[in-house]
Amino acid sequence: GGGGGVGPHVDIKCFSRDLTDEQKTALAADIAEAIARHLNSKDRSISVALQEVQEADWKAQVWDTEIGPKLDELIKKPGYSM
């Protein structure tokens, strides 16, 4: 399914890691492989975004909008709270 090979899309948010382009490519490839295996998706239909968030902004930009209010929807819950 998925509209003729569109999606899924993975959106990663993390603190700054200073990853090289090669490291980012390897990370995306590993994630795409897992998505393809578990969701039976084609590699060309998978997209991966990486957004680096400052530590001071994590609560406002990530926890308060995407984690805290949606804990019941998370398929992996964090071992921390804010």
XYZ file of all heavy atoms in Angstrom:
623
model
N 0.816 -1.199 0.000
C 0.000 0.000 0.000
C 0.845 1.241 0.000
O 2.002 1.203 -0.377
N 0.268 2.354 0.424
C 1.013 3.589 0.573
C 1.103 4.420 -0.687
O 2.141 4.986 -0.981
N 0.061 4.483 -1.481
C 0.021 5.432 -2.594
C 1.086 5.205 -3.638
O 1.805 6.113 -4.016
N 1.267 3.951 -4.070
C 2.214 3.680 -5.146
C 3.661 3.878 -4.754
O 4.417 4.526 -5.459
N 4.037 3.331 -3.603
C 5.430 3.372 -3.192
C 5.862 4.677 -2.563
O 7.004 5.081 -2.712
N 4.944 5.328 -1.853
C 5.284 6.545 -1.132
C 5.306 6.244 0.362
O 4.360 5.665 0.884
C 4.256 7.667 -1.424
C 4.574 8.902 -0.618
C 4.231 7.972 -2.907
N 6.378 6.657 1.057
C 6.490 6.442 2.489
C 6.917 5.021 2.785
O 6.948 4.186 1.878
N 7.319 4.785 4.000
C 7.236 5.642 5.181
C 8.352 6.678 5.271
O 9.351 6.600 4.566
C 7.347 4.652 6.349
C 7.947 3.418 5.786
C 7.727 3.420 4.319
N 8.113 7.652 6.167
C 9.089 8.703 6.432
C 9.485 8.618 7.908
O 8.618 8.487 8.774
C 8.484 10.078 6.142
C 9.390 11.214 6.515
N 10.555 11.487 5.828
C 9.321 12.131 7.523
C 11.159 12.529 6.389
N 10.429 12.933 7.420
N 10.773 8.677 8.185
C 11.290 8.627 9.548
C 11.917 9.976 9.867
O 12.718 10.494 9.086
C 12.352 7.511 9.693
C 12.893 7.468 11.113
C 11.773 6.163 9.284
N 11.559 10.529 11.015
C 12.069 11.840 11.414
C 12.842 11.674 12.719
O 12.257 11.394 13.751
C 10.892 12.798 11.599
C 11.326 14.239 11.774
O 12.536 14.519 11.652
O 10.462 15.087 12.045
N 14.158 11.844 12.657
C 15.017 11.673 13.818
C 15.382 13.039 14.376
O 15.792 13.926 13.636
C 16.318 10.950 13.432
C 16.024 9.591 12.816
C 17.239 10.817 14.659
C 17.221 9.001 12.111
N 15.215 13.188 15.685
C 15.656 14.406 16.359
C 16.673 14.004 17.417
O 16.456 13.041 18.155
C 14.475 15.131 16.983
C 13.511 15.676 15.941
C 12.302 16.326 16.573
C 11.393 16.921 15.506
N 10.842 15.903 14.612
N 17.780 14.731 17.471
C 18.827 14.398 18.425
C 19.642 15.641 18.748
O 19.534 16.652 18.064
C 19.742 13.300 17.875
S 20.651 13.770 16.390
N 20.451 15.538 19.800
C 21.400 16.605 20.088
C 22.447 16.602 18.986
O 22.639 15.601 18.292
C 22.084 16.387 21.435
C 21.148 16.466 22.621
C 21.480 15.839 23.807
C 19.952 17.157 22.563
C 20.641 15.903 24.906
C 19.102 17.224 23.659
C 19.460 16.597 24.841
N 23.184 17.696 18.854
C 24.222 17.796 17.842
C 25.241 16.675 17.998
O 25.704 16.395 19.099
C 24.929 19.152 17.938
O 24.072 20.168 17.509
N 25.543 16.023 16.896
C 26.465 14.893 16.913
C 27.689 15.130 16.027
O 28.591 14.333 16.026
C 25.751 13.629 16.407
C 24.674 13.088 17.331
C 25.283 12.470 18.562
N 24.362 11.575 19.244
C 23.497 11.956 20.175
N 23.416 13.224 20.513
N 22.719 11.071 20.752
N 27.706 16.201 15.250
C 28.807 16.462 14.323
C 29.086 15.268 13.415
O 30.234 14.856 13.230
C 30.091 16.847 15.083
C 29.942 18.193 15.787
O 29.283 19.093 15.204
O 30.461 18.342 16.902
N 28.023 14.661 12.900
C 28.179 13.514 12.006
C 28.667 13.976 10.641
O 28.243 15.021 10.132
C 26.844 12.780 11.849
C 26.245 12.152 13.102
C 24.892 11.540 12.768
C 27.170 11.101 13.688
N 29.528 13.184 10.039
C 29.944 13.458 8.669
C 28.822 13.035 7.725
O 27.899 12.309 8.119
C 31.215 12.672 8.316
O 30.906 11.274 8.351
C 32.347 12.973 9.290
N 28.925 13.460 6.473
C 27.931 13.020 5.485
C 27.932 11.502 5.368
O 26.881 10.888 5.187
C 28.217 13.656 4.126
C 27.858 15.145 4.112
O 27.141 15.600 5.023
O 28.298 15.835 3.176
N 29.110 10.887 5.451
C 29.201 9.431 5.357
C 28.476 8.764 6.527
O 27.785 7.755 6.349
C 30.673 8.980 5.334
C 31.410 9.335 4.049
C 31.854 10.793 3.985
O 31.770 11.503 5.019
O 32.290 11.236 2.905
N 28.631 9.317 7.733
C 27.953 8.752 8.900
C 26.442 8.919 8.785
O 25.683 8.015 9.153
C 28.468 9.416 10.178
C 29.883 9.010 10.548
C 30.450 9.839 11.687
O 30.328 11.071 11.695
N 31.078 9.182 12.643
N 26.004 10.063 8.270
C 24.570 10.287 8.081
C 24.009 9.311 7.060
O 22.910 8.759 7.234
C 24.308 11.729 7.649
C 24.558 12.746 8.749
C 24.359 14.159 8.227
C 24.689 15.184 9.291
N 24.584 16.565 8.787
N 24.753 9.085 5.981
C 24.319 8.146 4.950
C 24.220 6.729 5.510
O 23.257 6.008 5.230
C 25.295 8.180 3.756
O 25.290 9.501 3.201
C 24.886 7.189 2.677
N 25.204 6.347 6.323
C 25.192 5.005 6.931
C 24.025 4.850 7.899
O 23.357 3.809 7.929
C 26.521 4.745 7.641
N 23.752 5.883 8.687
C 22.623 5.858 9.617
C 21.318 5.691 8.845
O 20.478 4.840 9.183
C 22.597 7.146 10.441
C 21.384 7.375 11.344
C 21.247 6.271 12.378
C 21.486 8.734 12.017
N 21.147 6.492 7.786
C 19.930 6.411 6.979
C 19.777 5.038 6.351
O 18.668 4.487 6.296
C 19.944 7.492 5.902
N 20.880 4.457 5.888
C 20.819 3.134 5.261
C 20.394 2.073 6.268
O 19.578 1.196 5.960
C 22.175 2.784 4.647
N 20.938 2.133 7.492
C 20.564 1.166 8.532
C 19.091 1.299 8.897
O 18.377 0.301 9.066
C 21.418 1.369 9.787
C 22.826 0.805 9.643
O 23.115 0.157 8.616
O 23.638 1.008 10.569
N 18.624 2.541 9.043
C 17.222 2.764 9.389
C 16.315 2.299 8.259
O 15.309 1.624 8.487
C 16.986 4.246 9.728
C 17.668 4.569 11.052
C 15.505 4.575 9.787
C 17.775 6.032 11.347
N 16.680 2.638 7.028
C 15.865 2.225 5.879
C 15.806 0.704 5.780
O 14.755 0.143 5.450
C 16.427 2.826 4.595
N 16.928 0.034 6.071
C 16.939 -1.433 6.022
C 15.965 -2.018 7.039
O 15.211 -2.948 6.733
C 18.358 -1.933 6.295
C 18.492 -3.449 6.223
C 19.874 -3.943 6.622
O 20.778 -3.107 6.847
O 20.045 -5.167 6.703
N 15.967 -1.477 8.254
C 15.054 -1.968 9.292
C 13.600 -1.693 8.911
O 12.732 -2.561 9.081
C 15.389 -1.321 10.636
N 13.326 -0.507 8.392
C 11.967 -0.160 7.974
C 11.500 -1.094 6.853
O 10.384 -1.619 6.882
C 11.907 1.307 7.494
C 12.151 2.268 8.663
C 10.590 1.610 6.797
C 11.026 2.383 9.641
N 12.372 -1.312 5.871
C 12.018 -2.177 4.746
C 11.713 -3.595 5.235
O 10.760 -4.219 4.782
C 13.149 -2.194 3.717
N 12.526 -4.074 6.175
C 12.351 -5.439 6.679
C 11.055 -5.589 7.476
O 10.305 -6.550 7.295
C 13.559 -5.816 7.547
C 13.569 -7.261 8.015
C 14.910 -7.651 8.621
N 15.159 -6.944 9.883
C 16.114 -6.043 10.072
N 16.920 -5.694 9.090
N 16.275 -5.467 11.249
N 10.789 -4.644 8.367
C 9.645 -4.772 9.274
C 8.331 -4.310 8.674
O 7.276 -4.814 9.052
C 9.919 -4.021 10.579
C 10.996 -4.646 11.406
N 10.799 -5.781 12.169
C 12.294 -4.307 11.570
C 11.929 -6.097 12.774
N 12.852 -5.224 12.423
N 8.382 -3.350 7.748
C 7.150 -2.813 7.164
C 6.957 -3.234 5.714
O 6.029 -2.783 5.057
C 7.138 -1.280 7.273
C 7.189 -0.714 8.693
C 7.090 0.808 8.654
C 6.100 -1.299 9.570
N 7.867 -4.088 5.228
C 7.775 -4.580 3.863
C 7.684 -3.429 2.857
O 6.846 -3.423 1.964
C 6.569 -5.527 3.719
C 6.636 -6.348 2.444
O 7.719 -6.589 1.921
N 5.495 -6.752 1.942
N 8.555 -2.441 3.051
C 8.591 -1.279 2.167
C 9.765 -1.389 1.207
O 10.752 -2.054 1.507
C 8.760 0.003 2.995
O 7.719 0.150 3.935
N 9.648 -0.726 0.080
C 10.767 -0.666 -0.852
C 11.710 0.458 -0.441
O 11.268 1.526 -0.010
C 10.253 -0.416 -2.279
C 9.548 -1.609 -2.877
C 9.159 -1.330 -4.313
C 8.750 -2.569 -5.078
N 7.971 -3.529 -4.302
N 13.010 0.229 -0.600
C 13.993 1.220 -0.169
C 13.730 2.585 -0.801
O 13.850 3.614 -0.140
C 15.412 0.739 -0.510
C 16.469 1.718 -0.011
O 16.732 1.727 1.208
O 17.012 2.478 -0.837
N 13.337 2.605 -2.082
C 13.164 3.888 -2.780
C 11.965 4.668 -2.257
O 11.824 5.860 -2.543
C 13.012 3.657 -4.278
C 11.797 2.837 -4.651
C 11.685 2.703 -6.172
N 10.586 1.847 -6.560
C 9.298 2.200 -6.527
N 8.958 3.409 -6.119
N 8.368 1.356 -6.889
N 11.092 4.013 -1.479
C 9.919 4.715 -0.959
C 10.170 5.298 0.432
O 9.339 6.040 0.954
C 8.712 3.765 -0.906
O 8.891 2.790 0.101
N 11.321 4.979 1.032
C 11.614 5.389 2.407
C 12.430 6.678 2.410
O 13.386 6.814 1.648
C 12.399 4.282 3.140
C 11.574 2.986 3.174
C 12.782 4.722 4.550
C 12.383 1.768 3.580
N 12.042 7.615 3.266
C 12.830 8.833 3.459
C 13.163 8.974 4.939
O 12.403 8.537 5.804
C 12.073 10.066 2.951
O 10.789 10.140 3.532
N 14.326 9.584 5.203
C 14.798 9.750 6.580
C 15.296 11.182 6.752
O 16.102 11.657 5.945
C 15.944 8.763 6.910
C 16.419 8.958 8.353
C 15.513 7.314 6.686
N 14.813 11.851 7.794
C 15.262 13.202 8.118
C 16.030 13.165 9.435
O 15.729 12.357 10.321
C 14.070 14.147 8.248
N 17.028 14.036 9.553
C 17.794 14.160 10.787
C 17.820 15.630 11.174
O 18.340 16.469 10.436
C 19.220 13.642 10.597
C 20.143 13.745 11.811
C 19.650 12.857 12.942
C 21.563 13.362 11.428
N 17.224 15.940 12.312
C 17.178 17.319 12.792
C 17.916 17.392 14.117
O 17.549 16.705 15.076
C 15.732 17.774 12.976
C 15.611 19.191 13.510
C 14.175 19.582 13.814
O 13.234 18.877 13.472
N 14.004 20.713 14.476
N 18.959 18.200 14.158
C 19.707 18.374 15.398
C 19.073 19.490 16.208
O 18.786 20.562 15.691
C 21.171 18.652 15.089
C 21.826 17.461 14.410
C 23.327 17.623 14.210
O 23.828 18.750 14.366
O 23.983 16.613 13.908
N 18.835 19.201 17.487
C 18.151 20.123 18.386
C 19.111 20.467 19.523
O 19.769 19.583 20.072
C 16.870 19.463 18.959
C 16.178 20.375 19.968
C 15.911 19.082 17.834
N 19.176 21.732 19.871
C 20.009 22.131 21.000
C 19.443 21.541 22.290
O 18.229 21.471 22.469
C 20.070 23.660 21.103
C 20.721 24.332 19.915
C 22.151 23.874 19.686
O 22.938 23.790 20.615
N 22.485 23.555 18.446
N 20.352 21.151 23.189
C 19.920 20.516 24.441
C 18.934 21.404 25.203
O 17.941 20.920 25.755
C 21.157 20.223 25.296
C 20.926 19.119 26.299
C 22.218 18.528 26.860
O 23.272 18.627 26.190
O 22.153 17.972 27.959
N 19.189 22.709 25.201
C 18.326 23.643 25.931
C 16.922 23.724 25.337
O 15.978 24.131 26.019
C 18.965 25.033 25.956
N 16.786 23.343 24.062
C 15.500 23.440 23.371
C 14.723 22.126 23.352
O 13.596 22.080 22.853
C 15.723 23.882 21.908
C 16.354 25.265 21.830
O 16.100 26.091 22.729
O 17.106 25.510 20.870
N 15.328 21.048 23.858
C 14.727 19.715 23.739
C 13.327 19.656 24.337
O 12.393 19.156 23.721
C 15.626 18.666 24.388
C 15.165 17.266 24.127
C 14.415 16.479 24.966
C 15.404 16.478 22.956
N 14.178 15.260 24.383
C 14.782 15.240 23.142
C 16.086 16.721 21.762
C 14.821 14.228 22.190
C 16.131 15.711 20.809
C 15.504 14.488 21.030
N 13.176 20.170 25.566
C 11.870 20.078 26.219
C 10.802 20.799 25.408
O 9.743 20.236 25.134
C 11.923 20.631 27.650
C 10.606 20.439 28.400
C 10.702 20.940 29.833
C 9.483 20.559 30.659
N 8.188 20.895 30.062
N 11.088 22.030 25.000
C 10.086 22.820 24.284
C 9.825 22.284 22.880
O 8.677 22.209 22.441
C 10.522 24.284 24.213
N 10.895 21.908 22.164
C 10.746 21.538 20.748
C 10.365 20.083 20.531
O 9.742 19.753 19.522
C 12.040 21.829 19.986
C 12.308 23.302 19.764
C 13.497 23.543 18.844
O 13.970 22.644 18.146
N 14.006 24.759 18.846
N 10.763 19.208 21.458
C 10.559 17.774 21.226
C 9.681 17.131 22.295
O 8.627 16.579 21.992
C 11.920 17.035 21.116
C 11.707 15.562 20.813
C 12.792 17.676 20.052
N 10.086 17.223 23.553
C 9.320 16.543 24.611
C 7.888 17.066 24.690
O 6.934 16.285 24.693
C 10.005 16.693 25.970
C 9.203 16.039 27.053
C 8.214 16.596 27.812
C 9.270 14.658 27.447
N 7.665 15.660 28.656
C 8.299 14.464 28.448
C 10.060 13.583 27.046
C 8.105 13.222 29.062
C 9.861 12.353 27.662
C 8.892 12.178 28.652
N 7.731 18.392 24.757
C 6.405 18.969 24.995
C 5.466 18.815 23.805
O 4.256 18.937 23.972
C 6.527 20.461 25.337
C 7.100 20.690 26.741
O 7.192 19.722 27.518
O 7.472 21.838 27.035
N 6.018 18.557 22.610
C 5.161 18.472 21.428
C 5.031 17.053 20.884
O 3.962 16.670 20.421
C 5.705 19.370 20.303
O 7.038 18.969 19.992
C 5.709 20.826 20.732
N 6.117 16.264 20.951
C 6.109 14.978 20.265
C 6.219 13.760 21.174
O 5.903 12.649 20.751
C 7.248 14.928 19.241
C 7.100 15.999 18.178
C 8.044 15.775 17.017
O 8.332 14.625 16.692
O 8.503 16.780 16.448
N 6.711 13.946 22.399
C 6.901 12.792 23.280
C 5.870 12.773 24.403
O 5.035 11.876 24.481
C 8.339 12.761 23.850
C 9.361 12.667 22.713
C 8.499 11.575 24.806
C 10.802 12.762 23.157
N 5.924 13.783 25.260
C 5.033 13.822 26.419
C 3.566 13.614 26.105
O 2.923 12.721 26.675
N 3.003 14.404 25.167
C 1.565 14.270 24.892
C 1.206 12.989 24.142
O 0.026 12.654 24.047
C 1.242 15.484 24.012
C 2.439 16.357 24.043
C 3.599 15.503 24.418
N 2.201 12.295 23.587
C 1.919 11.137 22.737
C 2.522 9.849 23.303
O 2.742 8.895 22.558
C 2.470 11.379 21.333
C 1.875 12.617 20.661
C 2.451 12.830 19.286
C 1.867 14.072 18.624
N 2.424 14.293 17.294
N 2.779 9.800 24.613
C 3.426 8.621 25.195
C 2.689 7.333 24.843
O 3.315 6.308 24.589
C 3.541 8.771 26.714
C 4.747 9.560 27.213
C 4.654 9.775 28.726
C 6.053 8.871 26.858
N 1.355 7.393 24.819
C 0.575 6.187 24.531
C 0.785 5.687 23.104
O 0.563 4.512 22.824
C -0.917 6.437 24.768
C -1.247 6.594 26.246
O -0.404 6.221 27.096
O -2.343 7.105 26.559
N 1.198 6.582 22.191
C 1.374 6.200 20.791
C 2.793 5.713 20.493
O 3.033 5.112 19.441
C 1.093 7.403 19.878
C -0.303 7.961 19.996
C -0.443 9.291 19.243
O 0.270 9.482 18.239
O -1.249 10.124 19.676
N 3.750 6.009 21.379
C 5.142 5.658 21.110
C 5.320 4.147 21.136
O 4.835 3.476 22.048
C 6.075 6.294 22.149
C 6.086 7.826 22.210
C 7.109 8.286 23.250
C 6.405 8.428 20.866
N 6.019 3.601 20.165
C 6.299 2.161 20.158
C 7.584 1.856 20.918
O 7.864 0.699 21.223
C 6.325 1.573 18.736
C 7.404 2.213 17.870
C 4.941 1.705 18.089
C 7.560 1.525 16.506
N 8.349 2.883 21.236
C 9.443 2.767 22.211
C 9.396 4.010 23.050
O 9.583 5.123 22.566
C 10.812 2.629 21.537
C 11.919 2.430 22.585
C 13.299 2.373 21.979
C 14.370 2.090 23.014
N 14.279 2.914 24.246
N 9.126 3.818 24.331
C 9.034 4.950 25.250
C 10.418 5.250 25.841
O 11.201 4.346 26.050
C 8.019 4.647 26.358
C 6.596 4.492 25.838
C 5.655 4.014 26.914
C 4.217 3.945 26.446
N 3.995 3.424 25.101
N 10.688 6.540 26.113
C 11.978 6.881 26.694
C 12.057 6.467 28.155
O 11.028 6.365 28.833
C 12.024 8.405 26.560
C 10.593 8.826 26.607
C 9.829 7.718 25.925
N 13.275 6.259 28.618
C 13.483 5.920 30.028
C 13.723 7.163 30.857
O 14.353 7.098 31.911
N 13.235 8.299 30.396
C 13.343 9.548 31.143
C 12.028 10.292 31.021
O 11.192 9.968 30.190
C 14.499 10.417 30.596
C 14.242 10.990 29.217
C 13.663 12.243 29.049
C 14.551 10.268 28.069
C 13.405 12.766 27.791
C 14.308 10.778 26.808
C 13.735 12.019 26.673
O 13.485 12.519 25.427
N 11.836 11.285 31.902
C 10.669 12.163 31.774
C 11.126 13.583 32.015
O 12.207 13.822 32.549
C 9.586 11.752 32.765
O 10.091 11.795 34.091
N 10.292 14.524 31.590
C 10.645 15.943 31.746
C 9.446 16.699 32.300
O 8.335 16.281 32.164
C 11.063 16.533 30.392
C 12.275 15.860 29.785
S 12.920 16.716 28.332
C 14.097 17.803 29.115
